[in-house]
Structure formats: structure tokens, C-alpha cells
Amino acid sequence: SIQKLSTEISRTVLGILLSLTVLFGMLSVIRMLSGDAVLEGTNLAGGAQTLLEGLTPKREIGEIPIVQETEVPLLVMQPTSTQAPREGTARVTFTGTMALETEIRQSGYSKTSKTYDFSDILMPAAASLRSDLCVAALENLVSPSDTVSDLIAPDEVMGMLVSGNVDQVALGFGRSFDRGYEGLSATVLSAQSHGLEAVGAYRNEGEAALSEQIHSIDGIRLAVLHYTEALTNAGRKALTKDGRIYAVPLLEQAVQDIPLVRSLGADFVIVSVHWGTEGKSEVTKAQRTAAEMLCRAGADVIVGNGPRRLQSVERMNVTDEAGQVHEALCAFS
């Protein structure tokens, strides 16, 4: 009977140890799920007692797997949330539409030297435009092989932008591809030769890559994307025939690009877009529909150009398919 009692005691002790092992394993999982970053293994009884005294689970736990090991390993868990939101200040300015049409172009021409100088045109606004990032929308091409006109501007137009403290020039507009890839490529090169960054028109896929549109300002990763609502029939045919679809990003592409640029680390997304009807002060139905689409895709700020008229600035709230409400500030023109 003593041998039988000893056997029963051994079974009881073994059962207690196994129970403590399972209990500690359960508590380890609960502890991890409740947000602790590190759990260090210790003796079973002491560790279980410590956890029982200090544990305050934050959520209900479903099925928990039984831990078979007799020793509890060191468990390391990464924080469940992503990195903390960045804090900083970024000042961004936009000029709206610029175009060197006949009267303005002629005003900068010297008959004596037969050269152009537009450096004084933006001087009155230069101080106001100075910022961390200044974006100008230009509705001109710079194509040395073509005669200057309302569409074709001399190379000095880029110097005008530099004198106005512009950093980035948005070259996507309805007639961007009217002179084909050669005309667009020459325009981008002209901007780059003056130290300007071109957006909305690109010479190659590398320049068009979304990662290239992200800027770091005061710790904030800020993306500025530019799109064109539509090209002229001639421009669209030339772009399709040429095959360089990346050269002028069209507005419908933004729905895919905005989430992608977020996944690349952008904290804040500004979408610049050429849209609307020239000369029209009222926001069109198409503009409003497109703005809601951009907001739903995740744009934080939408800045329009193209109508060449001042249009409304509105704060938009759009609910996406998952029921999440997204807010964006939209300056239609």
C-alpha cells in the first residue's frame, strides 16, 4: 500500500507540474497578446505566481495551444502597431497655371540682343512662394526644334520659374504630348538643366517611379503626384503609338498610385491635377467626381489647375468601401 501511495503521489506531483507548465504557457500567450514586448522564462511556480499577481488581460482569448515543453523559452514579440506618427512641419506652395502666351512672351524679348529674359515676371511673388517645396504648373513645351508660339516657349521660361523660388514644375497638361516624346523629353531636360524637378511628365520609367516622388521634409515623408485629366486626340494617339504610357500619367492611374506610394512610406500625399474647363469658375461635375475618387484613394490634399480661374477650396469627407472615412482638402483651381 505504501508503494501504491507513493505511485499516486508521484502521479499527483507530475500532474501538478504539467498543469503549471500548461498554465504558464497560457499566461505567456496572454501576456504577449496584452501588449508586452518581452517575456523571460523563469521557474514554473514562481513565474506563474508573478504573472497571476500582475496580469491584466486586455482582450478575450480564444483557443490557446497547449505547451508541451517542460522549460519555457524566451519569447520575443514585436510591437503590434507600426512606427509612431512622425511630427514636423512642411510648408508647400503652389502657383497655379502659368503659360507664356504671346503678349507675355514678347514682353521679355530684346530686339537688340535677340534674347529672352523673364526673370522679373515672378519677382513680386518670389518671397511669398519661398517654402520647403514650391510647385508650379506650366502649360508650355520647350522644344528647340519648333518655332516659339503660345504652346512652345523659349528655354528661358525655366529661368523665370527659378527666379520665383519654384522647386518643382508640373508639366502634365492637355497638350503635353502634342509634339510627341521628343517635345516632352526636351521640355523635361530644359527644366532639369535649370535645377528644377519635373513632375507629371517623364523621360523614362525611372524618373516616373513613385519612390522618386517622395520628399523628406522635417522628418515628414511627403509625396507630390501630378496627373492630367485628358490629352488632346493628337496627343493621346501619339502616346499610345509611342508606347511610353509612363511619360504623361493620366488621372485614372491615381487610384492605384496613391495606395502604392503610401506603402512606400509616404506619410502625406498631395495630388496635383490638370482638369476642368478653361475659363470656367464653377467646379464641374467631372472635377467633383474625380476629387471624391482621389480622396477615397487616400489623397490628403488635392490641388487643381487648368481652368485658369479661381475655384472653391473645400474640405471633403469620403467613406471608402471598408467604411473608413477619409478627409482631404481640395483646392479645385
Side-chain angles (χ1 to χ4, degrees), residues 55-199:
L55 188 63
T56 53
K58 297 181 181 179
R59 66 192 76 177
E60 293 183 3
I61 307 299
E63 290 188 4
I64 299 177
I66 296 175
V67 179
Q68 299 296 336
E69 292 83 5
T70 57
E71 294 184 4
V72 180
L74 178 68
L75 300 176
V76 179
M77 241 188 120
Q78 298 299 325
T80 55
S81 60
T82 57
Q83 62 184 6
R86 293 181 238 265
E87 294 184 0
T89 301
R91 183 167 183 259
V92 184
T93 50
F94 288 82
T95 68
T97 300
M98 294 191 181
L100 279 189
E101 296 179 339
T102 303
E103 292 182 1
I104 300 175
R105 187 180 69 252
Q106 290 178 348
S107 72
Y109 182 70
S110 170
K111 293 182 179 180
T112 303
S113 63
K114 296 184 179 180
T115 59
Y116 291 95
D117 182 4
F118 307 114
S119 60
D120 62 334
I121 291 180
L122 291 182
M123 289 302 290
S128 298
L129 293 175
R130 183 180 290 111
S131 59
D132 296 309
L133 183 66
C134 177
V135 185
L138 183 67
E139 290 192 21
N140 284 118
L141 294 174
V142 176
S143 179
S145 61
D146 291 303
T147 304
V148 294
S149 62
D150 282 355
L151 175 62
I152 308 298
D155 178 76
E156 286 79 4
V157 68
M158 300 301 179
M160 177 191 78
L161 299 180
V162 173
S163 69
N165 289 319
V166 172
D167 303 297
Q168 207 176 61
V169 54
L171 295 173
F173 65 107
R175 301 186 67 186
S176 291
F177 221 73
D178 277 16
R179 292 295 187 272
Y181 174 73
E182 290 73 18
L184 180 133
S185 179
T187 306
V188 173
L189 280 173
S190 174
Q192 293 172 341
S193 69
H194 285 80
L196 295 166
E197 180 183 356
V199 292

Side-chain angles (χ1 to χ4, degrees), residues 222-225 227 251 254-255 257-262 266-273 275 290-303 314-318 325-330:
L222 176 71
V224 179
L225 311 176
Y227 300 94
L251 185 55
V255 177
D257 287 354
I258 295 171
L260 281 175
V261 81
R262 289 276 193 200
D267 302 307
F268 204 81
V269 180
I270 297 178
V271 177
S272 169
V273 55
W275 59 6
E292 291 175 356
M293 174 192 73
L294 294 172
C295 180
R296 187 175 292 107
D300 297 298
V301 171
I302 304 163
V303 182
E314 302 177 15
R315 192 170 293 280
M316 309 183 71
N317 290 283
V318 176
V325 177
H326 191 80
E327 183 179 65
L329 183 69
C330 179

